[in-house]
Amino acid sequence: MKITLDNITIKNGDFILKADGEFERGVHLITGKIGSGKTSLAMAVAGFLKVSGGRIEKSGTGSEIYSMQNPEHHVTAEKVRKEITSWGLNPEFIADRYGFEEMMDKDPVLLSRGELKKLELACIAERNPDLLLLDEPFSSLDCVEKKKLISNLCNRKDKITIIFTHEQAVLPKADYIWETEEGHLICHGKTPEAILRWKNCPQYITEALRRGIIPDNITVDDVMEALCRMQG
């Protein structure tokens, strides 16, 4: 199972992003400033934005889901119950497992953005595709829901998950770290070594590195564990 970006060029208006690299099984975190090309890259890998040069090759991915930044773009039905059915899932099972009982007969577009995002991510978790592209999945979620998302991602080590985000507070464990910078996609490699090359890392990691602490991974818990080992 592999996604290959073979010297691709993405043009979106006046913006140009060049990318080259491979995404194998595991969780890939792509960070970068707002406007640095993360969404354009996600759309290109998903097949919704044509590349201007190079090619994108996919092998071994029988199922794919692209989760767009705005959850309302995914709505296809007039009731939450029917929306869940449109994903090929059992509405009663999803309602019971994720606590959607009180909203089943509501219009999805009338839900709060956080509720709608929670619904979309629940359906994605149950579908569990071979390739999952998540564009700013943490937006609109509170800390509790962000942690639930992270927990679900931990079960996808045998599949490919690519997260495009500028989230700086709650992050999942990542197998690989990438960055979009100055019109290029840069692969820093595997964690934990990649952390040392990560320019757009959260403040808590910057502070840990300043103290000479190199965590095993990128979550707050990883940093705290590394600090405890140092003090011990």
Side-chain angles (χ1 to χ4, degrees):
M1 194 180 298
K2 185 189 302 183
I3 309 299
T4 302
L5 309 183
D6 185 8
N7 291 308
I8 66 170
T9 299
I10 301 170
K11 293 183 179 180
N12 196 353
D14 294 331
F15 180 79
I16 297 176
L17 178 70
K18 295 183 179 295
D20 188 57
E22 293 183 343
F23 296 91
E24 299 181 339
R25 297 175 193 264
V27 176
H28 299 256
L29 187 73
I30 299 181
T31 63
K33 297 179 181 178
I34 295 175
S36 62
K38 298 187 301 297
T39 293
S40 295
L41 179 59
M43 292 177 64
V45 176
F48 292 111
L49 184 63
K50 187 177 180 180
V51 298
S52 300
R55 61 182 178 176
I56 298 175
E57 295 182 353
K58 300 176 182 178
S59 60
T61 54
S63 56
E64 303 177 15
I65 291 179
Y66 168 38
S67 172
M68 291 178 277
Q69 183 172 345
N70 299 319
E72 58 269 24
H73 291 167
H74 287 277
V75 174
T76 61
E78 70 276 9
K79 299 291 183 182
V80 169
R81 184 183 306 278
K82 291 184 177 180
E83 182 67 21
I84 295 172
T85 301
S86 74
W87 286 80
L89 301 170
N90 184 308
E92 284 67 34
F93 173 81
I94 298 297
D96 180 64
R97 182 165 187 174
Y98 293 92
F100 296 148
E101 294 91 343
E102 296 183 0
M103 65 174 69
M104 294 298 283
D105 293 316
K106 292 184 178 180
D107 187 335
V109 299
L110 297 181
L111 300 178
S112 70
R113 178 166 282 188
E115 290 173 330
L116 191 54
K117 193 73 173 180
K118 178 181 175 182
L119 174 63
E120 178 204 343
L121 292 173
C123 292
I124 287 173
E126 293 303 319
R127 288 296 302 269
N128 196 26
D130 293 334
L131 171 60
L132 177 56
L133 307 170
L134 296 170
D135 187 7
E136 298 296 353
F138 303 101
S139 64
S140 305
L141 299 179
D142 59 24
C143 285
V144 172
E145 293 303 327
K146 287 179 181 181
K147 290 178 180 178
K148 287 181 181 178
L149 170 58
I150 287 173
S151 178
N152 287 335
L153 292 176
C154 290
N155 299 321
R156 289 186 48 81
K157 293 296 184 181
D158 62 334
K159 301 181 184 292
I160 301 175
T161 304
I162 308 177
I163 304 170
F164 306 80
T165 186
H166 59 264
E167 170 72 26
Q168 291 279 296
V170 182
L171 290 169
K173 288 182 180 292
D175 298 294
Y176 301 87
I177 297 175
W178 303 67
E179 278 187 285
T180 50
E181 183 180 15
E182 297 181 356
H184 290 84
L185 175 66
I186 301 168
C187 180
H188 293 314
K190 292 184 176 182
T191 53
E193 293 82 5
I195 297 173
L196 295 172
R197 298 183 285 273
W198 189 11
K199 295 181 180 179
N200 195 52
C201 63
Q203 184 61 39
Y204 63 85
I205 291 182
T206 299
E207 180 61 24
L209 295 177
R210 188 185 67 80
R211 298 185 185 186
I213 301 170
I214 303 176
D216 291 334
N217 216 291
I218 64 173
T219 70
V220 172
D221 288 343
D222 289 311
V223 172
M224 295 304 296
E225 289 175 10
L227 178 60
C228 288
R229 288 197 301 269
M230 174 176 281
Q231 292 178 338

